[in-house]
């Protein structure tokens, strides 16, 4: 659990941070010191490395969730479903790296960045930027937005709490509440 959780969280936090910086930083802010093709290569290498770290971690957590009877008994169907959706999203993200090797000029990365910047700034025409990209990018976007929408209704909501003391706290044992047993004579 400890290895899987730490690897998963290290990988996913680095990946999310890379997505935020890479997609939401306007091109004009970095074009003086890094070109679009160089940025794409950096994203592929860093994203690939942290993606593999995350993949190892989520594989450990998924095997534990599916095959450990104690974990299965205390978890919910929703927990398992979200974990499998995260697994699928990670695999799609890793496959986008393979797809990116076919266009190393940075053009698709720039279209995806324009799409993201249009979305977060509420500008119209965002769909025009992703219309020509390969299916894997569209699937990755769709599943990512689906996870974003599901987060408030699942344990993914812990992403938004960000307590610093969380890094040093002991692991929590989460169990379902059992109905109280009555002892003694019934009234």
């Amino acid at each position: 659990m400890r290895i899987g959780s730490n690897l998963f969280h290290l990988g996913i936090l680095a990946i999310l941070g890379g997505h935020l910086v890479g997609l939401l930083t306007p091109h004009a802010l970095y074009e003086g010191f890094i070109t679009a093709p160089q940025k794409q290569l950096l994203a592929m290498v860093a994203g690939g490395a942290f993606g593999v770290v995350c993949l190892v971690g989520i594989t450990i957590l998924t095997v534990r969730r599916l095959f450990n009877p104690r974990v299965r008994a205390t978890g919910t169907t929703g927990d398992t479903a979200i974990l499998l959706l995260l697994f699928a999203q990670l695999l799609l993200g890793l496959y986008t790296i393979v797809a990116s090797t076919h266009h190393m000029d940075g053009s698709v990365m720039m279209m995806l960045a324009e799409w993201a910047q249009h979305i977060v700034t509420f500008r119209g025409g965002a769909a025009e930027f992703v219309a020509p990209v390969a299916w894997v990018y569209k699937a990755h976007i769709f599943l990512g937005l689906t996870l974003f929408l599901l987060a408030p209704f699942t344990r993914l909501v812990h992403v938004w709490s960000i307590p610093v003391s969380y890094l040093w706290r002991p692991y929590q044992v989460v169990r379902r509440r059992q109905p109280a047993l009555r002892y003694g004579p019934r009234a």
Side-chain angles (χ1 to χ4, degrees), residues 11 14-15 42-55 94 97:
I15 291 167
L42 174 64
M44 291 168 65
V45 171
F50 284 110
V52 169
V53 168
C54 190
L55 181 63
L94 289 170
I97 296 171

Side-chain angles (χ1 to χ4, degrees), residues 58-161:
I58 200 168
T59 300
I60 293 169
L61 295 176
T62 302
V63 167
R64 182 175 180 268
R65 167 88 39 203
L66 295 176
F67 300 109
N68 184 311
R70 184 183 56 81
V71 175
R72 244 188 7 258
T74 58
T76 65
T77 305
D79 295 337
T80 304
I82 287 296
L83 188 62
L84 293 174
L85 287 175
L86 285 168
F87 201 98
Q89 178 68 339
L90 179 61
L91 292 176
L92 281 171
L94 289 170
Y95 187 65
T96 64
I97 296 171
V98 175
S100 294
T101 62
H102 301 293
H103 47 79
M104 293 298 295
D105 62 350
S107 60
V108 172
M109 182 196 61
M110 296 302 291
M111 287 189 279
L112 295 170
E114 284 295 324
W115 170 82
Q117 291 168 29
H118 275 67
I119 293 294
V120 298
T121 57
F122 302 107
R123 291 183 283 164
E128 297 169 14
F129 292 105
V130 293
V133 302
W135 70 268
V136 69
Y137 299 104
K138 294 174 187 175
H140 190 59
I141 289 169
F142 177 80
L143 190 51
L145 292 175
T146 301
L147 285 164
F148 185 77
L149 290 173
L150 292 174
F153 309 104
T154 67
R155 292 185 194 202
L156 285 179
V157 76
H158 81 277
V159 169
W160 308 114
S161 62

